[in-house]
Amino acid sequence: MIDFNPADKIQDLQYFGEFGGVNPSISDSSTYTFLSAKTMFDTFEGNAEGCYLYSRHSSPMNLYLSKALAAMEGTESANVAASGMGVITSVLLQLCCSGDEIVSSRTIYGGTYAFMKNVLPKWGIKTTFVDGTKLDVIEAAITPNTKVLYCETVSNPLLEVTDIERWAQLAKKYNIKLVVDNTFSPLSVAPAKLGADVVIHSLTKFINGSSDTVGGVVCASQEFINDLKNVNTGAMMLLGPTMDSLRSASILKNLRTLHIRMKQHSFNAMYLANQFENDGLKVVYPGLKSHPSHSLYLTMINKEYGFGGMMTIDVGTLEKANELMELMQNRNLGYLAVSLGFYKTLFSAPGTSTSSEIPLEEQKEMGLSDGLIRFSIGLDNDIERTYEMMKSCMKELNVI
């Protein structure tokens, strides 16, 4: 990984509240006043820096959080929204018009898949889904109408690793934009430094980390962020996925501890993945040498933050997966719940939850089995104790 430490960039940011507070003051206003009509006009035109017009356009707290996230990803600018899907849909509609095409990795978040497959065709935008690990297949899918390559750094839910530098080379070769969802790997990977044009996060997950709010961010060039916020043609402006200032303030505070949390998530997941693989289970985790892209991922990550907090275990059948998840929840090992990045472990069967939008035949084709359990490993202090308790549940149900 190149010499770029996102945690240092976040640490170097200092904001002062209106009355000298160590946290910036929250502007609890939907609209803002002007001392002159000329200043209001200039603000509408985007020529009055430091002035605010209406909170759907921007607000002080949203700009504070956006600046911090741009620093984290190493981009010129960023813009936050009320959800990850609010960002994804806005970005794709900003980049594509009727007749345009997208080439996307087939293993992506189910909501993104559903939007591309079921909604974008209504606007005449076609998506071709491909095996994101095969560069020749990706290139073969590109046509003169392709405007976007779309992938996830670490895919949901199969944890396939995208070779972002190679994808970026393809994007530049054909003069198209590379959009990367980096939700599973904040701090560990900086896609913009590897050639991505646009980087997306669901802030709901690791970045916020407390499962108490929903949010999203797009990090990109200043020009593209300006386009998204344009009052006449900007998708994020006109579709209205605005983040509330109170939520921005909450996420900004949690962002300050992200580096500590990611190290613990990764440490715990690495320990469990090793132990369960040694027990003979079918474990997928990018930190394991058995992962097909382990060597590639080593070249992409900032090793200080590890291989992330996500892993999968295949227990054979959906019935067995459901029994195990219910038992682990009853033993206080975590929650049978979707999402990720919480301080407690979360587990779900993605084929019937977060990836249920993907048709069953396509799930099977991509290797998403009925018995697959996706784990978002928590911040447990004694991970050896957690392992023994999880192993006890598995033995009880004859999983191992």
Side-chain angles (χ1 to χ4, degrees):
M1 178 62 188
I2 53 174
D3 186 21
F4 173 74
N5 195 318
D8 291 346
K9 301 297 182 182
I10 296 170
Q11 181 182 332
D12 290 345
L13 292 171
Q14 286 195 183
Y15 302 129
F16 294 91
E18 184 180 358
F19 304 105
V22 295
N23 289 309
S25 304
I26 301 170
S27 174
D28 195 20
S29 294
S30 61
T31 190
Y32 297 83
T33 190
F34 293 87
L35 298 180
S36 74
K38 174 67 166 56
T39 307
M40 178 183 280
F41 173 78
D42 289 342
T43 304
F44 252 114
E45 295 295 305
N47 300 322
E49 188 174 345
C51 293
Y52 301 93
L53 180 74
Y54 184 54
S55 287
R56 180 166 57 81
H57 297 205
S58 64
S59 66
M61 187 55 68
N62 284 8
L63 290 178
Y64 288 137
L65 178 59
S66 295
K67 183 177 180 180
L69 292 167
M72 182 188 79
E73 286 295 348
T75 59
E76 289 180 341
S77 189
N79 195 43
V80 296
S83 71
M85 284 305 300
V87 167
I88 291 167
T89 54
S90 296
V91 165
L92 294 179
L93 289 172
Q94 190 69 36
L95 291 172
C96 298
C97 301
S98 180
D100 291 341
E101 297 179 6
I102 299 167
V103 175
S104 171
S105 173
R106 65 186 183 182
T107 52
I108 54 175
Y109 171 57
T112 309
Y113 178 94
F115 179 71
M116 289 179 174
K117 184 163 187 177
N118 303 326
V119 178
L120 285 181
K122 297 177 182 179
W123 281 283
I125 300 168
K126 174 188 174 184
T127 302
T128 301
F129 296 97
V130 298
D131 183 339
T133 64
K134 297 179 179 178
L135 274 296
D136 57 334
V137 174
I138 299 164
E139 185 166 17
I142 296 172
T143 75
N145 293 327
T146 303
K147 292 297 187 292
V148 171
L149 294 183
Y150 186 95
C151 62
E152 297 173 349
T153 305
V154 179
S155 74
N156 186 359
L158 298 182
L159 308 186
E160 293 176 345
V161 174
T162 298
D163 190 339
I164 294 174
E165 284 189 293
R166 297 288 297 279
W167 277 64
Q169 290 168 6
L170 282 179
K172 287 175 175 57
K173 178 178 179 180
Y174 293 97
N175 194 29
I176 52 184
K177 298 297 184 183
L178 173 58
V179 179
V180 179
D181 185 333
N182 199 36
T183 297
F184 276 24
S185 43
L187 302 186
S188 293
V189 180
K193 298 298 183 181
L194 298 173
D197 298 291
V198 179
V199 182
I200 287 168
H201 281 276
S202 169
L203 300 176
T204 314
K205 314 302 193 304
F206 287 111
I207 289 176
N208 185 54
S210 51
S211 290
D212 59 356
T213 192
V214 175
V217 67
V218 49
C219 304
S221 66
Q222 187 65 60
E223 180 183 11
F224 184 63
I225 298 302
N226 288 347
D227 288 345
L228 283 168
K229 296 168 68 174
N230 185 286
V231 295
N232 294 308
T233 59
M236 291 191 79
M237 177 68 70
L238 300 174
L239 294 175
T242 311
M243 175 172 278
D244 178 77
S245 293
L246 294 170
R247 290 305 187 188
S248 290
S250 176
I251 295 170
L252 182 59
K253 294 184 185 81
N254 288 346
L255 181 66
R256 300 295 191 177
T257 63
L258 178 62
H259 61 295
I260 300 170
R261 292 185 282 111
M262 288 310 302
K263 290 176 185 179
Q264 192 67 29
H265 283 302
S266 294
F267 177 85
N268 286 352
M270 187 78 242
Y271 181 86
L272 291 177
N274 272 317
Q275 293 298 321
F276 286 128
E277 186 173 63
N278 290 337
D279 289 332
L281 290 171
K282 185 179 179 181
V283 182
V284 176
Y285 181 67
L288 294 174
K289 291 182 179 179
S290 59
H291 191 287
S293 298
H294 173 72
S295 297
L296 167 65
Y297 206 43
L298 275 173
T299 68
M300 294 169 55
I301 65 169
N302 186 323
K303 295 180 180 64
E304 182 178 353
Y305 306 106
F307 295 90
M310 304 301 297
M311 76 173 191
T312 67
I313 295 177
D314 195 332
V315 298
T317 67
L318 179 60
E319 180 183 22
K320 189 67 70 174
N322 288 339
E323 286 180 339
L324 178 58
M325 291 187 294
E326 290 170 6
L327 182 58
M328 289 190 296
Q329 181 167 255
N330 289 337
R331 301 281 170 82
N332 297 333
L333 282 163
Y335 296 104
L336 204 177
V338 298
S339 199
L340 50 120
F342 192 44
Y343 44 79
K344 287 280 285 185
T345 294
L346 304 177
F347 31 82
S348 61
T352 56
S353 58
T354 54
S355 296
S356 59
E357 297 93 338
I358 302 174
L360 289 176
E361 62 273 13
E362 294 185 34
Q363 290 186 27
K364 291 178 181 178
E365 183 181 337
M366 67 177 62
L368 177 51
S369 70
D370 288 343
L372 191 76
I373 301 175
R374 189 191 75 176
F375 289 84
S376 169
I377 304 302
L379 301 175
D380 307 34
N381 177 60
D382 187 347
I383 196 61
E384 295 181 30
R385 173 177 176 267
T386 298
Y387 163 68
E388 293 298 338
M389 293 174 67
M390 293 176 75
K391 185 177 180 180
S392 175
C393 292
M394 293 176 181
K395 284 185 173 180
E396 192 171 323
L397 296 175
N398 296 315
V399 172
I400 55 176

